[in-house]
Amino acid sequence: MSDRTTVDQEYPHVSTEPRKFRFAAGGAGNADEGGVRKFVKLAQEAEELGFDTFAIPDRLDAQVGPLAALGALAVSTSTIRLATSMLAMPFRHPAVLAKELTTIDVLSKGRLEIGLGLGAFKDDFDQSGIEFESPARRLQRLDEGLTVLDSLLRGQEAEFEGEIFRVKDLKGYPRPRQGPRPPIAIGAGARRTLELAARRADVVSINPRSSAEGKLKISDMSLDAVKNKVEIVKAAAGERFADLELSWSIATIVVTDDREQVADFALKAIERGLSANIEVDKEVTIDDVLGSPYLAIGTFDEIADQVRATREATGMSYVGVVPTQMEAFAPVLEQLKGE
């Protein structure tokens, strides 16, 4: 099937009605957020502001340990769903990971969402001495790990022998609160990872590709780039596409009455290399900046309209924001909640 083939053409019975919005905040417990001691309060604030999910990244730099932190949040929050974004499969054996995750799901009374990824930041591997394998090998590790996890997260017996993982007569315990298992999200930017996510995940997080240093490629942050990736997911998912939830994270929110002026300033700063997190690998325009799903610039009404337009153009409906911008996004969330 061609990457350009749409679900409507190939599977005319599949509904393409947009999902309702969901909103995720996140926290790492770093110094910018007030450190580890204020981490629980940060999640509680996200709950109070009406976010649906609170997600924790998985880095080996100055942040909390995600699994221990989720355990703490399981008993210190009551309604907000708890997620990882995204656990690096090379850091943990899936048999060990499954036990931690099902325990968290039970303790949180069924509020866990499991985000998984390849492990994209080379610094984490270099500094820890964990081998930074080729993308193909990390993808295989994720694929095999998902097979092991899927059985154990259902409370079933896992029997698996792959090139990387071998599990024999191991039964998942405790059984998770959610059935048949907690939902799995996969973060993906490259084609093969998008295709794997389309086949195996419940939620596909559409991410810009990044360099080995973890910088986001500016060429991959455009609306057209996102639409192309969604087409890849559609083609790989086939009939199950209707069951998939698509997500993305807004990297920057700037509330302003002059979108064009701020976009022009941001563009010039990026071109001068003043953005530490973005790699300039393509010439972009102000319209590219204003249209990017990953950049939200404007009044609250304009940002809300941009989020609606992104869902209309791509089908993505699960919106994430960085922790330091939860309050800035809260008025937008109020407008979109329930849509």
Side-chain angles (χ1 to χ4, degrees):
M1 185 187 303
S2 167
D3 293 334
R4 298 286 183 181
T5 301
T6 66
V7 165
D8 290 339
Q9 292 169 331
E10 189 71 14
Y11 301 101
H13 61 285
V14 174
S15 172
T16 56
E17 286 296 312
R19 286 176 174 261
K20 285 189 176 182
F21 285 118
R22 285 207 296 153
F23 301 96
N30 57 35
D32 291 340
E33 302 165 11
V36 176
R37 293 183 179 182
K38 294 186 177 180
F39 181 77
V40 169
K41 180 61 177 174
L42 186 70
Q44 292 170 336
E45 289 175 359
E47 189 171 64
E48 292 168 4
L49 288 170
F51 284 90
D52 298 287
T53 309
F54 188 83
I56 307 175
D58 188 22
R59 294 290 311 279
L60 298 183
D61 60 3
Q63 71 149 81
V64 296
L67 298 178
L70 285 177
L73 297 185
V75 296
S76 58
T77 61
S78 57
T79 59
I80 197 166
R81 293 184 65 78
L82 306 174
T84 56
S85 179
M86 303 285 179
L87 292 176
M89 185 60 75
F91 291 170
R92 302 168 187 87
H93 193 289
V96 178
L97 180 60
K99 183 171 288 292
E100 300 294 334
L101 292 173
T102 54
T103 299
I104 291 167
D105 194 57
V106 172
L107 293 177
S108 67
K109 298 181 181 179
R111 289 185 284 139
L112 178 65
E113 295 183 12
I114 304 165
L116 299 169
L118 302 181
F121 296 93
K122 190 172 183 295
D123 284 352
D124 286 340
F125 292 84
D126 291 343
Q127 293 172 359
S128 65
I130 299 172
E131 182 183 358
F132 190 59
E133 299 170 318
S134 69
R137 182 70 170 178
R138 280 180 286 137
L139 186 66
Q140 181 183 17
R141 183 178 294 276
L142 177 59
D143 193 9
E144 290 191 13
L146 282 164
T147 299
V148 176
L149 282 170
D150 189 63
S151 295
L152 297 176
L153 291 174
R154 295 170 187 266
Q156 298 173 351
E157 187 173 286
E159 184 82 27
F160 178 77
E161 183 166 347
E163 291 187 23
I164 298 174
F165 298 118
R166 294 169 180 79
V167 178
K168 183 178 181 180
D169 300 332
L170 180 64
K171 188 170 183 179
Y173 184 86
R175 288 186 63 89
R177 182 72 173 264
Q178 298 177 85
R181 58 157 173 73
I184 291 176
I186 295 178
R191 175 188 296 273
R192 291 184 62 191
T193 314
L194 287 164
E195 291 173 341
L196 174 65
R199 294 191 301 268
R200 307 293 300 272
D202 305 296
V203 180
V204 181
S205 180
I206 308 293
N207 300 334
R209 290 174 301 145
S210 59
S211 66
E213 292 74 30
K215 291 185 177 183
L216 303 179
K217 293 179 181 284
I218 199 166
S219 62
D220 234 34
M221 297 178 69
S222 71
L223 181 60
D224 284 342
V226 173
K227 290 165 69 174
N228 289 338
K229 291 180 183 183
V230 171
E231 287 301 314
I232 292 172
V233 173
K234 285 181 178 179
E239 292 182 312
R240 75 184 302 267
F241 181 74
D243 298 324
L244 292 179
E245 187 173 31
L246 304 181
S247 72
W248 86 102
S249 293
I250 299 173
T252 299
I253 299 169
V254 181
V255 180
T256 177
D257 292 328
D258 194 334
R259 298 182 76 220
E260 288 74 15
Q261 183 181 48
V262 171
D264 182 54
F265 178 81
L267 181 58
K268 290 175 180 176
I270 291 169
E271 289 173 344
R272 292 197 299 268
L274 299 180
S275 176
N277 296 323
I278 297 178
E279 178 181 293
V280 180
D281 62 332
K282 178 185 177 182
E283 184 177 347
V284 296
T285 66
I286 291 177
D287 287 340
D288 291 329
V289 173
L290 292 175
S292 171
Y294 304 104
L295 305 172
I297 302 171
T299 64
F300 295 128
D301 288 343
E302 287 172 331
I303 293 173
D305 285 342
Q306 180 185 348
V307 173
R308 292 187 185 102
T310 296
R311 182 178 65 176
E312 178 68 23
T314 67
M316 299 190 302
S317 59
Y318 193 177
V319 190
V321 300
V322 297
T324 53
Q325 297 188 316
M326 287 193 312
E327 292 187 6
F329 191 77
V332 178
L333 185 153
E334 286 297 319
Q335 289 193 43
L336 299 175
K337 195 82 169 176
E339 288 191 15

